């Protein structure tokens, strides 16, 4: 159990140590990291080339149309014929001699035939009525089944039609929004190439917004462009002292089963803070000049502000602690990969408090 606890603590310590070392590395190399990146805005990357990913609704399978059931009908009896043997007259000798006797027998047979015929006809009529009722009953049942099927099919088709229309509306809206976005990008590019003052400010804003800093650093800034002398003023919020890495490393003290923070000394923190703010200044100017494809910038002024609590009144205040104005021509003559940030800043006549 203790062994598992130690392993877990060791993993946590290693993870925290890797995170803080990555933070320190990012902070120390703020300037160098941007030199490997082309800060020019790629207009095509601003465009939305995505496709509508939602799948179209599938047409529902309509149940088969109901079949008519075969009605089991009762067969009718065959009607008798007078020529049948049972109705045959078999005259005796007397019948042949006495005519009236023969006639009576004929009449009797006729009456018998008519009686049988009537009985079967009545039976058949009953069967006919019964069969008709069965046929009518099945017809009513089929009509109900057909109506239910028809309603179900209509409901499925109506629901599909509504879903598909909704799908088409969303799809059309997606491509309409995408096309509108891309049209705005093209218009933005056109205005930038025409040296529109507002477009140049927006472009520079985009350049600095694309710049990636450690997550704890603020990335707030304000820009003001002057087309008369092609100059840009950048008011940039710098990280405060408590946003600079203060922990050097994390170690696991196995005997105490605890993770110990190894802090930087205050002088180390101050030195890292100084280096950081000068690097941010040089990095910001570098990114803007590198991205200036239309030569809209001849001069850049960087003002770095820090928010702090005034210990005299307890209020939060915003103070400019560094300021540098430099021409594009002079800045391009510097090899930033080999400079010491503070010395470079001072060499460019930067002012720091």
């Amino acid at each position: 159990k203790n062994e598992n606890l130690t392993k877990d603590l060791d993993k946590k310590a290693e993870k925290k140590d890797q995170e803080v070392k990555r933070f320190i590395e990012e902070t120390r190399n703020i300037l160098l990291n941007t030199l490997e990146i082309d800060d020019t805005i790629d207009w095509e990357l601003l465009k939305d080339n995505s496709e509508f990913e939602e799948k179209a609704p599938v047409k529902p399978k309509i149940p088969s149309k109901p079949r008519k059931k075969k009605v089991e009908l009762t067969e009718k009896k065959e009607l008798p014929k007078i020529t049948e043997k049972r109705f045959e007259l078999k005259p005796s000798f007397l019948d042949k001699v006495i005519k009236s006797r023969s006639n009576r027998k004929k009449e009797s047979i006729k009456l018998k035939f008519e009686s049988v015929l009537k009985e079967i006809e009545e039976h058949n009529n009953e069967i006919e009525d019964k069969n008709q009722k069965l046929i009518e009953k099945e017809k009513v049942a089929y009509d109900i089944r057909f109506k239910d099927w028809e309603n179900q099919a209509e409901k499925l088709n109506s629901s599909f039609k509504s879903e598909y229309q909704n799908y088409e509306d969303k799809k059309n809206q997606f491509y309409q929004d995408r096309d509108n976005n891309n049209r705005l990008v093209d218009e933005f590019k056109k205005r930038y190439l025409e040296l529109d003052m507002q477009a140049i400010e927006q472009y520079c804003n985009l350049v600095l917004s694309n710049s990636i800093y450690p997550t704890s650093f603020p990335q707030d800034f304000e820009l003001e462009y002057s087309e008369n002398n092609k100059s840009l003023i950048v008011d940039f919020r710098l990280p405060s002292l408590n946003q600079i890495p203060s922990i050097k490393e994390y170690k696991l003290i196995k005997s105490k089963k605890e993770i110990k923070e190894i802090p930087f000394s205050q002088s180390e923190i101050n030195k890292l803070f100084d280096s950081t703010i000068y690097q941010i200044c040089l990095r910001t100017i570098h990114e803007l000049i590198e991205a200036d494809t239309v030569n809209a910038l001849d001069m850049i002024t960087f003002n770095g502000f820090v928010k702090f609590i005034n210990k005299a009144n307890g209020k939060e205040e915003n103070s400019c602690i560094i300021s540098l104005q430099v021409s594009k021509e002079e800045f391009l003559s510097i090899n930033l990969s080999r400079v010491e940030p503070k010395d470079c800043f001072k060499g460019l006549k930067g002012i720091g408090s």
Side-chain angles (χ1 to χ4, degrees), residues 120-158:
I120 291 177
E121 283 179 339
E122 287 176 353
H123 171 78
N124 284 351
N125 285 338
E126 288 178 6
I127 295 300
E128 177 67 23
D129 288 343
K130 183 180 176 182
N131 287 346
Q132 284 300 320
K133 285 179 182 178
L134 288 173
I135 291 170
E136 186 60 33
K137 184 180 178 182
E138 171 53 26
K139 182 179 181 303
V140 171
Y142 175 77
D143 287 345
I144 291 172
R145 292 199 308 274
F146 183 83
K147 191 65 179 175
D148 288 345
W149 170 82
E150 199 173 43
N151 288 338
Q152 186 182 8
E154 185 179 349
K155 187 177 179 180
L156 287 170
N157 284 327
S158 177

XYZ file of all heavy atoms in Angstrom, residues 120-158:
337
model
N -83.683 -25.658 -51.009
C -82.276 -25.368 -51.339
C -82.082 -23.889 -51.638
O -81.071 -23.278 -51.254
C -81.831 -26.242 -52.520
C -81.764 -27.721 -52.065
C -80.459 -25.793 -53.053
C -81.415 -28.684 -53.163
N -83.064 -23.301 -52.332
C -82.968 -21.865 -52.644
C -82.943 -21.043 -51.363
O -82.171 -20.079 -51.243
C -84.130 -21.441 -53.535
C -83.958 -21.854 -54.996
C -85.134 -21.434 -55.863
O -86.223 -21.203 -55.293
O -84.936 -21.310 -57.092
N -83.804 -21.438 -50.405
C -83.821 -20.721 -49.111
C -82.479 -20.913 -48.393
O -81.930 -19.975 -47.803
C -84.971 -21.244 -48.255
C -86.339 -20.777 -48.734
C -87.481 -21.384 -47.924
O -87.181 -22.267 -47.075
O -88.623 -20.957 -48.125
N -81.959 -22.149 -48.430
C -80.656 -22.413 -47.813
C -79.545 -21.587 -48.470
O -78.725 -20.973 -47.784
C -80.339 -23.915 -47.942
C -78.947 -24.258 -47.538
N -78.546 -24.372 -46.223
C -77.819 -24.507 -48.296
C -77.267 -24.658 -46.180
N -76.792 -24.756 -47.430
N -79.618 -21.551 -49.819
C -78.592 -20.784 -50.560
C -78.695 -19.292 -50.289
O -77.682 -18.575 -50.246
C -78.695 -21.082 -52.049
C -78.120 -22.443 -52.401
O -77.494 -23.093 -51.556
N -78.314 -22.902 -53.641
N -79.938 -18.853 -50.118
C -80.130 -17.422 -49.811
C -79.520 -17.092 -48.450
O -78.916 -16.029 -48.256
C -81.616 -17.076 -49.822
C -82.173 -17.009 -51.235
O -81.427 -16.813 -52.198
N -83.496 -17.183 -51.383
N -79.679 -18.004 -47.488
C -79.072 -17.811 -46.170
C -77.537 -17.795 -46.286
O -76.861 -16.974 -45.656
C -79.517 -18.933 -45.229
C -80.979 -18.828 -44.799
C -81.379 -19.989 -43.902
O -80.487 -20.790 -43.535
O -82.573 -20.086 -43.554
N -77.026 -18.728 -47.077
C -75.564 -18.776 -47.300
C -75.082 -17.486 -47.952
O -74.041 -16.926 -47.583
C -75.189 -19.998 -48.157
C -75.507 -21.303 -47.423
C -73.706 -19.946 -48.556
C -74.772 -21.469 -46.123
N -75.869 -16.998 -48.936
C -75.514 -15.756 -49.646
C -75.457 -14.585 -48.677
O -74.518 -13.775 -48.690
C -76.524 -15.488 -50.754
C -76.304 -14.184 -51.535
C -75.025 -14.214 -52.364
O -74.533 -15.311 -52.691
O -74.493 -13.126 -52.668
N -76.460 -14.500 -47.783
C -76.484 -13.421 -46.786
C -75.277 -13.520 -45.848
O -74.613 -12.525 -45.537
C -77.783 -13.483 -45.969
C -78.990 -13.043 -46.781
O -78.785 -12.398 -47.840
O -80.120 -13.342 -46.371
N -75.004 -14.751 -45.413
C -73.881 -14.980 -44.508
C -72.551 -14.613 -45.183
O -71.692 -13.938 -44.591
C -73.875 -16.446 -44.078
C -72.792 -16.786 -43.073
C -72.852 -18.265 -42.698
C -71.720 -18.634 -41.764
N -71.746 -20.077 -41.422
N -72.406 -15.036 -46.448
C -71.170 -14.731 -47.190
C -70.998 -13.237 -47.408
O -69.892 -12.689 -47.295
C -71.163 -15.478 -48.522
C -70.909 -16.962 -48.350
O -70.481 -17.407 -47.289
N -71.184 -17.759 -49.399
N -72.097 -12.572 -47.717
C -72.050 -11.120 -47.944
C -71.626 -10.380 -46.680
O -70.867 -9.410 -46.727
C -73.410 -10.606 -48.436
C -73.717 -10.908 -49.892
C -72.676 -10.280 -50.819
O -72.212 -9.153 -50.624
N -72.292 -11.045 -51.851
N -72.134 -10.863 -45.525
C -71.761 -10.244 -44.251
C -70.266 -10.447 -43.974
O -69.585 -9.549 -43.482
C -72.595 -10.845 -43.124
C -74.032 -10.343 -43.115
C -74.838 -10.992 -41.996
C -76.297 -10.499 -42.027
N -77.104 -11.159 -40.992
N -69.756 -11.645 -44.287
C -68.325 -11.909 -44.100
C -67.483 -11.012 -45.009
O -66.445 -10.469 -44.589
C -68.018 -13.382 -44.388
C -68.516 -14.394 -43.350
C -68.297 -15.819 -43.849
C -67.804 -14.182 -42.016
N -67.942 -10.883 -46.265
C -67.222 -10.013 -47.232
C -67.241 -8.568 -46.759
O -66.218 -7.864 -46.802
C -67.859 -10.145 -48.635
C -67.586 -11.547 -49.206
C -67.308 -9.068 -49.576
C -68.362 -11.859 -50.472
N -68.390 -8.117 -46.279
C -68.516 -6.729 -45.817
C -67.660 -6.497 -44.568
O -67.022 -5.452 -44.423
C -69.990 -6.426 -45.513
C -70.270 -4.972 -45.163
C -69.890 -4.002 -46.276
O -69.993 -4.360 -47.466
O -69.479 -2.862 -45.943
N -67.657 -7.505 -43.688
C -66.859 -7.404 -42.464
C -65.372 -7.283 -42.787
O -64.654 -6.459 -42.212
C -67.119 -8.627 -41.592
C -66.405 -8.572 -40.245
C -66.708 -9.811 -39.423
C -65.969 -9.790 -38.096
N -66.229 -11.010 -37.303
N -64.883 -8.087 -43.722
C -63.479 -8.032 -44.132
C -63.169 -6.718 -44.843
O -62.095 -6.147 -44.677
C -63.134 -9.227 -45.018
C -61.756 -9.157 -45.672
C -60.623 -8.908 -44.691
O -60.738 -9.250 -43.487
O -59.598 -8.332 -45.126
N -64.156 -6.226 -45.611
C -63.959 -4.949 -46.317
C -63.787 -3.816 -45.311
O -62.893 -2.968 -45.450
C -65.149 -4.660 -47.235
C -65.006 -3.373 -48.045
C -66.194 -3.167 -48.950
C -66.051 -1.896 -49.784
N -65.867 -0.687 -48.984
N -64.616 -3.816 -44.256
C -64.518 -2.781 -43.217
C -63.164 -2.895 -42.497
O -62.486 -1.893 -42.257
C -65.684 -2.919 -42.204
C -65.448 -1.995 -40.999
C -67.008 -2.580 -42.874
N -62.788 -4.160 -42.164
C -61.512 -4.383 -41.474
C -60.342 -3.944 -42.348
O -59.375 -3.342 -41.862
C -61.372 -5.854 -41.095
N -60.407 -4.243 -43.650
C -59.332 -3.848 -44.570
C -59.255 -2.330 -44.698
O -58.171 -1.755 -44.712
C -59.551 -4.468 -45.951
C -58.537 -3.982 -46.957
C -57.239 -4.474 -46.959
C -58.860 -2.985 -47.883
C -56.300 -4.016 -47.856
C -57.924 -2.512 -48.788
C -56.647 -3.030 -48.773
O -55.720 -2.556 -49.668
N -60.433 -1.698 -44.785
C -60.453 -0.226 -44.890
C -59.783 0.404 -43.672
O -59.072 1.405 -43.794
C -61.893 0.273 -45.024
C -62.486 -0.018 -46.399
O -61.708 -0.334 -47.312
O -63.731 0.053 -46.550
N -60.011 -0.205 -42.480
C -59.385 0.312 -41.254
C -57.875 0.103 -41.316
O -57.091 1.009 -41.007
C -59.980 -0.386 -40.010
C -61.441 0.045 -39.815
C -59.163 -0.046 -38.758
C -62.169 -0.729 -38.734
N -57.465 -1.119 -41.725
C -56.037 -1.399 -41.839
C -55.378 -0.490 -42.859
O -54.267 0.017 -42.646
C -55.796 -2.862 -42.257
C -56.190 -3.871 -41.204
C -55.541 -5.225 -41.441
N -55.740 -5.737 -42.781
C -56.799 -6.431 -43.173
N -57.793 -6.674 -42.320
N -56.886 -6.887 -44.419
N -56.050 -0.257 -43.972
C -55.500 0.600 -45.034
C -55.381 2.046 -44.552
O -54.386 2.722 -44.817
C -56.379 0.523 -46.286
C -55.836 1.313 -47.431
C -54.864 0.784 -48.269
C -56.275 2.620 -47.680
C -54.340 1.512 -49.321
C -55.745 3.351 -48.733
C -54.786 2.800 -49.559
N -56.392 2.503 -43.816
C -56.376 3.881 -43.319
C -55.242 4.057 -42.306
O -54.531 5.071 -42.317
C -57.722 4.231 -42.661
C -57.891 5.710 -42.356
C -57.935 6.523 -43.636
C -58.125 8.008 -43.348
N -58.061 8.819 -44.571
N -55.072 3.045 -41.429
C -53.969 3.099 -40.456
C -52.623 3.129 -41.174
O -51.716 3.878 -40.794
C -54.022 1.875 -39.529
C -55.171 1.956 -38.537
O -55.724 3.064 -38.376
O -55.530 0.916 -37.943
N -52.483 2.296 -42.190
C -51.235 2.268 -42.973
C -51.008 3.617 -43.656
O -49.894 4.144 -43.667
C -51.307 1.154 -44.024
C -50.176 1.218 -45.012
C -48.923 0.750 -44.856
C -50.210 1.818 -46.317
N -48.159 0.997 -45.961
C -48.914 1.660 -46.882
C -51.198 2.461 -47.054
C -48.608 2.135 -48.158
C -50.891 2.937 -48.318
C -49.601 2.763 -48.862
N -52.094 4.140 -44.241
C -52.004 5.418 -44.952
C -51.586 6.535 -43.996
O -50.723 7.366 -44.330
C -53.365 5.733 -45.575
C -53.330 6.754 -46.703
C -54.670 6.895 -47.385
O -55.705 6.937 -46.687
O -54.692 6.948 -48.630
N -52.169 6.530 -42.779
C -51.828 7.558 -41.776
C -50.374 7.416 -41.322
O -49.657 8.400 -41.164
C -52.751 7.447 -40.566
C -54.154 7.916 -40.868
O -54.376 8.678 -41.812
N -55.125 7.441 -40.097
N -49.936 6.159 -41.114
C -48.562 5.908 -40.692
C -47.575 6.350 -41.763
O -46.564 7.000 -41.475
C -48.375 4.425 -40.373
C -47.000 4.113 -39.780
C -46.814 2.631 -39.513
O -47.632 1.808 -39.900
N -45.725 2.280 -38.860
N -47.878 5.997 -43.026
C -47.001 6.380 -44.141
C -46.943 7.897 -44.287
O -45.873 8.480 -44.497
C -47.502 5.742 -45.437
N -48.101 8.526 -44.132
C -48.161 9.989 -44.259
C -47.374 10.657 -43.130
O -46.659 11.648 -43.349
C -49.623 10.444 -44.220
C -49.797 11.942 -44.465
C -51.262 12.367 -44.456
O -52.139 11.499 -44.460
O -51.489 13.582 -44.440
N -47.491 10.081 -41.908
C -46.770 10.629 -40.755
C -45.266 10.493 -40.943
O -44.502 11.432 -40.685
C -47.223 9.898 -39.490
C -46.668 10.500 -38.206
C -47.215 9.766 -36.993
C -46.648 10.353 -35.704
N -47.168 9.647 -34.516
N -44.815 9.312 -41.415
C -43.383 9.085 -41.648
C -42.851 10.012 -42.735
O -41.782 10.606 -42.592
C -43.146 7.626 -42.042
C -43.283 6.590 -40.919
C -43.258 5.185 -41.484
C -42.168 6.758 -39.887
N -43.609 10.137 -43.827
C -43.182 11.006 -44.939
C -43.164 12.474 -44.520
O -42.262 13.225 -44.892
C -44.109 10.816 -46.142
C -43.819 9.527 -46.891
O -42.680 9.085 -46.970
N -44.852 8.900 -47.443
N -44.177 12.858 -43.730
C -44.253 14.251 -43.275
C -43.088 14.567 -42.337
O -42.471 15.632 -42.440
C -45.588 14.473 -42.557
O -45.654 15.776 -42.047
